[in-house]
Amino acid sequence: MRYFKMNGCGTDFVIFDARTVGSLQLSAAQAQAIADRNGGIGSDQGISVERSIRADAFLRIWNADGSEVAACGNAARCVGSLLIDELGEGPVKIETEAGILRAEKTTLGAITVDMGSPLLKWEEVPIAKPMDTARLEYAVDVGVAAASQPAACS
């Protein structure tokens, strides 16, 4: 199976092209072994590009710890670049567990991805307890003085 090593804004990926085989099923241990920087290929995330009936491709995404995530903008940008180069045009549609993302090449050659509207309510974001996320503040110790700044969950 073909794979690519790519980087998007400092996050590096091992991207497997599984479209010829249908899908790539990895256990958490296998995803960890691939991501291992000493014994594996080494990456922040492993990506499987698979066939989709709703879009140009489907992405399956594993973090370095083996957990799966629904979407990743930088991974979608890297895969979007591959798909645009392959198809010869854009934009392209990329299906993820979080929905369909649209990637396109700008006039300057950068790849952008529309991730949709952010989820900011505490019920939509995996935080431990109910909170007023519109007024959430956190303390930051910058070594000189602590500062309280507004925050958003992501």
Side-chain angles (χ1 to χ4, degrees):
M1 181 178 308
R2 254 183 2 159
Y3 76 90
F4 303 87
K5 182 82 186 266
M6 297 184 81
N7 179 304
C9 293
T11 303
D12 64 327
F13 308 99
V14 175
I15 301 173
F16 295 95
D17 187 351
R19 291 176 292 171
T20 59
V21 296
S23 70
L24 177 63
Q25 301 296 320
L26 295 177
S27 68
Q30 289 170 319
Q32 289 172 348
I34 291 166
D36 183 357
R37 296 192 186 278
N38 295 314
I41 299 170
S43 66
D44 294 311
Q45 290 182 320
I47 311 297
S48 176
V49 180
E50 303 174 0
R51 290 181 286 204
S52 170
I53 59 171
R54 299 176 50 210
D56 294 300
F58 177 85
L59 296 191
R60 192 173 310 280
I61 307 164
W62 294 271
N63 285 327
D65 67 2
S67 62
E68 282 194 61
V69 294
C72 172
N74 285 325
R77 288 178 56 241
C78 290
V79 171
S81 177
L82 293 172
L83 293 173
I84 289 168
D85 287 348
E86 179 182 291
L87 298 173
E89 61 183 58
V92 295
K93 293 190 294 184
I94 302 169
E95 183 181 0
T96 69
E97 290 293 334
I100 294 181
L101 309 177
R102 184 173 177 247
E104 62 186 320
K105 188 179 284 193
T106 68
T107 56
L108 298 176
I111 304 297
T112 63
V113 173
D114 182 352
M115 297 293 291
S117 299
L119 303 178
L120 300 174
K121 295 178 183 174
W122 79 267
E123 305 92 356
E124 300 169 331
V125 181
I127 56 178
K129 61 183 178 183
M131 305 188 136
D132 179 2
T133 53
R135 303 198 47 81
L136 183 64
E137 295 205 1
Y138 67 100
V140 178
D141 183 358
V142 293
V144 178
S148 181
Q149 296 294 322
C153 297
S154 65

